Amino acid sequence: MDTPAIDGWFTVDDDTVHLIGTRCAECRTVCFPPRTGFCPNPRCPGEELVPARLSRRGTVWSYTDARYPPPAPFVAAEPYTPVTLAAVELAEEGIVVLGQVKDLTVDDLHVGMELELTAGPLADGPLVWMWGRPRGPGQTGAGAPASTGGTGGTGGTT
């Protein structure tokens, strides 16, 4: 596959994408993106953060579409095609990770829908993690939307 846009934040092994975070050795608090130094939990004195592969699935916490091309230095496709973004709460860790959505639009998404980690290239070529439809066993999220609103905000990463 292509070169990752950000070294050390995710890996692709045999077409399986994994986010790489860190976990406090003392209290087990999980961070993404990975970090070094002190545990981010203010109640924990831990100073050892170890790399950890994070859940590959999660549920949509919020979503939106980017109708305007990003400003320089980012490279947008010509002509610009809006991209869909989703803030996904990871199944096991409970943290929210923002990413582009692959092969789905805001009309296909709803809060609470399950998505799975995948990857794809940015307009200028580097590979990034993305969210997509779950593949294989454990697929859920079909059915009526969990909310009645339109698109949500982008939320944030934790």
Side-chain angles (χ1 to χ4, degrees), residues 12-63:
V12 181
D13 300 322
D14 298 323
D15 291 330
T16 301
V17 182
H18 294 275
L19 292 173
I20 306 296
T22 48
R23 185 180 311 272
C24 176
E26 191 163 328
C27 74
R28 313 286 295 153
T29 294
V30 176
C31 308
F32 182 83
R35 62 180 358 178
T36 58
F38 295 97
C39 176
N41 179 345
R43 294 184 190 102
C44 178
E47 295 182 34
E48 182 184 0
L49 299 175
V50 295
R53 285 187 173 194
L54 305 181
S55 302
R56 297 194 65 251
R57 290 188 182 199
T59 55
V60 174
W61 183 76
S62 185
Y63 57 94

